[in-house]
Amino acid sequence: ILCLLEILNRELDQSGALKSDPVIWQKILENVRILIIHAGGDSRRLPPYGPCGKIFIPVPGESDSALPLTLFDRLLPVYQGLPCGPSNSGQIIVTTGDVLLDFNPADVNYNHKGIIGLGCYAEPKEAKNHGVFCPGQNGQVRLFLQKPSPREQESAGAQNRFGQSILDIGVMHMDAESAVKLISIGSLQIGKQGKLEWSKPFKSLIFERGLDFYRDVCCAMGTESSLEHLKKYSQTTNLKNSLPLLNRIYEKMSTVPFFVEVLPGCHFFHFGTLGQLINSGSELMSKLYGV
């Protein structure tokens, strides 16, 4: 959200448009494509790469410079190959920087309005460590679950007839209208420096406690979501006692159309911990060089 707010302020400064009009915010975002790759957390589980961030971990592969290939170098071409959304709707892609995804971007369809997450089928035991989409009709999401147990997945109807769940692979697409709603969670106002900023209570809360996009935002969306569902998953975040903010998030985001695009084939290498660094690095070496 901070990245989006900074980008919007920059575009507003360049255009000289009226900064207090949400219609203008949406029109500006409708004319841009934005890729936000976050660095994969604060690296507490991967301390050797804390200074640079997990996204700059050296990984196997051929490099055309004296510097080794990094996770970022391998990620960027995949995300740059993703298709555009509907015309004149804008596109913001938000994705994680500690997972190397192996899929064909041409298999992705971004023709829906709203927010679209990418997923792949996985066994419930694997999906329990990630986000899980509960699919509805025509690709719409009924509920989003974050790190649910296999029993929770079954109870929510997340599993298909083969006993598989749709695992969130960490790539979220949103159009301009959805992005404006997300940014507006914090009651935007014009600050002393003439830039858009959040109201003081929201700004203080976010900087002190943080906001988990998956538990605090995605769990607010879906055709069967409810405020109670959001509160249940927010019990594991720092916003669990911030009911006014949770109410605000639900008010803004529950009306956003939410879809899942299931990839026909996808493999991912997770680099979130030292153990995963070794295992995923070995798997990648085997895939590239057969060793």
Side-chain angles (χ1 to χ4, degrees):
I1 299 179
L2 280 171
C3 289
L4 280 175
L5 190 55
E6 287 298 321
I7 292 169
L8 182 57
N9 270 317
R10 184 192 66 193
E11 296 293 328
L12 284 168
D13 286 341
Q14 292 178 354
S15 67
L18 181 64
K19 296 184 177 182
S20 60
D21 188 354
V23 175
I24 299 297
W25 308 343
Q26 183 171 325
K27 286 186 178 298
I28 285 176
L29 293 177
E30 285 174 348
N31 294 306
V32 296
R33 295 182 73 199
I34 300 168
L35 172 62
I36 299 173
I37 308 177
H38 64 75
D42 58 8
S43 299
R44 285 179 295 179
R45 296 184 298 170
L46 204 59
Y49 298 97
C52 65
K54 298 176 186 177
I55 197 169
F56 294 114
I57 292 172
V59 295
E62 300 296 329
S63 174
D64 58 2
S65 74
L67 298 175
L69 203 68
T70 68
L71 191 53
F72 175 77
D73 295 321
R74 296 190 66 93
L75 286 172
L76 189 58
V78 176
Y79 297 138
Q80 287 180 322
L82 289 169
C84 299
S87 60
N88 300 318
S89 64
Q91 182 180 51
I92 297 95
I93 300 287
V94 182
T95 184
T96 180
D98 63 355
V99 175
L100 176 58
L101 299 169
D102 183 12
F103 70 94
N104 184 358
D107 291 332
V108 178
N109 178 359
Y110 280 146
N111 290 334
H112 295 294
K113 290 186 176 182
I115 294 180
I116 306 169
L118 298 187
C120 66
Y121 288 113
E123 296 300 318
K125 288 184 179 180
E126 181 181 11
K128 71 181 179 66
N129 298 314
H130 304 272
V132 171
F133 297 98
C134 298
Q137 296 295 320
N138 302 317
Q140 276 200 290
V141 176
R142 295 187 295 104
L143 290 172
F144 185 85
L145 315 175
Q146 181 63 9
K147 297 186 177 181
S149 67
R151 180 173 294 182
E152 284 182 276
Q153 295 174 49
E154 182 180 11
S155 176
Q159 299 176 21
N160 63 14
R161 59 194 179 96
F162 301 109
Q164 299 171 311
S165 297
I166 302 175
L167 179 152
D168 167 34
I169 65 171
V171 182
M172 290 286 177
H173 163 286
M174 67 183 77
D175 57 17
E177 184 177 357
S178 304
V180 168
K181 287 188 177 182
L182 180 61
I183 296 171
S184 300
I185 286 173
S187 301
L188 288 174
Q189 58 190 23
I190 307 298
K192 293 180 179 179
Q193 296 182 349
K195 295 185 178 295
L196 283 173
E197 60 181 39
W198 292 312
S199 61
K200 287 186 178 179
F202 179 84
K203 187 175 181 179
S204 299
L205 196 60
I206 290 301
F207 278 93
E208 289 173 7
R209 303 188 183 187
L211 186 147
D212 189 301
F213 179 78
Y214 300 99
R215 285 191 174 95
D216 298 327
V217 177
C218 289
C219 287
M221 299 186 294
T223 58
E224 295 180 9
S225 187
S226 64
L227 184 57
E228 288 68 31
H229 179 77
L230 172 60
K231 289 177 180 177
K232 171 187 173 182
Y233 280 94
S234 291
Q235 287 302 306
T236 57
T237 72
N238 292 328
L239 296 186
K240 60 184 178 181
N241 295 320
S242 306
L243 295 184
L245 179 53
L246 290 176
N247 289 338
R248 175 79 175 176
I249 292 172
Y250 184 74
E251 174 192 344
K252 286 288 183 181
M253 301 308 298
S254 62
T255 60
V256 175
F258 194 21
F259 292 86
V260 58
E261 179 76 6
V262 184
L263 299 174
C266 177
H267 185 76
F268 59 90
F269 305 92
H270 200 178
F271 292 87
T273 67
L274 286 172
Q276 289 171 343
L277 176 62
I278 296 170
N279 294 335
S280 294
S282 297
E283 285 185 49
L284 190 55
M285 282 286 290
S286 178
K287 177 180 174 63
L288 292 173
Y289 306 113
V291 296

